Amino acid sequence: YERTCRYLARKSNSVVVSVGYRLAPEHPFPAQFEDCVTATIHFLRTAQDHGVDPSRVVVCGDSSGGTLAAAVAQALVNRRDVPKLRAQILIYPFLQCVDFNLPSYQQNERIPILLKERTLVLGLKYMNKDLSVLPELFKGRHVPEDLRPKYQKWVSPDYIPQEFKTRGYKPSPTYPSSEEIYAHTKGIFDPVFSPLLAEDSVVAQVPETFLLACEFDVLRDDGLLYKKRLEDHGIKVTWCHLQEGFHGTVFSATL
């Protein structure tokens, strides 16, 4: 990512700090988040040492880095010992683990580089979970009956604009939940792993947001759903949709 970060620094005339967080599976969740929070707090406290106005600091990430950026922004909303973040830039982030049959998951399940199955395999390895539960996650059986109404307020194909459903989307059947599967996978509902599932009191305080999504990406609808949640709470969102884009577009473009 050094070349990408140099490109961003040059084109935006900004100071760019890239966090070399520990990697899974050697360092399982949530080590990566903890490293990013620690680095962000340290930089906010020492920004002026680097010639940076601490009131103009933005967190940014793509793919799982976008997940981490969103989680860091949420983690800092109630901190009074550091300056507030100016904004967050989320580039095709993974944001939820409730529904893997949203229109974008169906439409792009076999489109490289982030195939639908690969998305879940990476997530389960990140959480150090057994991959045998994969078919049950595809069916949504990991979501307990008592939590479904809560999560469906935030994660539902009903909230995806019709224009994004025209490319071969079919509503999915509902399967009964499994307490066993939930017990094995419940960590994935942690907002640090799934920032879209943070409580309203947190989402309502995140900074101004730039969201980038790609049409040919399983994670497109995660961005659309988070956009809606943020806007419902009065957060200013700038939305960029790359009609011909795919997962990894930004990284590829700066190589």
Side-chain angles (χ1 to χ4, degrees), residues 177-228:
S177 63
S178 164
E179 290 186 13
E180 182 183 354
I181 300 298
Y182 172 66
H184 180 69
T185 62
K186 62 182 178 182
I188 66 177
F189 295 99
D190 185 331
V192 169
F193 185 87
S194 298
L196 186 54
L197 306 184
E199 296 297 329
D200 288 338
S201 58
V202 173
V203 174
Q205 297 183 73
V206 300
E208 182 178 345
T209 302
F210 176 92
L211 262 166
L212 183 142
C214 297
E215 176 62 26
F216 299 102
D217 181 7
V218 292
L219 301 182
R220 180 198 68 203
D221 294 349
D222 282 25
L224 280 167
L225 293 172
Y226 201 40
K227 173 179 181 286
K228 180 183 186 303

Side-chain angles (χ1 to χ4, degrees), residues 134-154:
L134 212 59
E136 306 306 317
L137 295 185
F138 285 141
K139 294 178 180 177
R141 298 193 65 211
H142 61 300
V143 186
E145 299 292 344
D146 60 330
L147 285 177
R148 284 183 177 181
K150 175 182 179 179
Y151 291 149
Q152 283 174 349
K153 291 188 302 181
W154 307 327

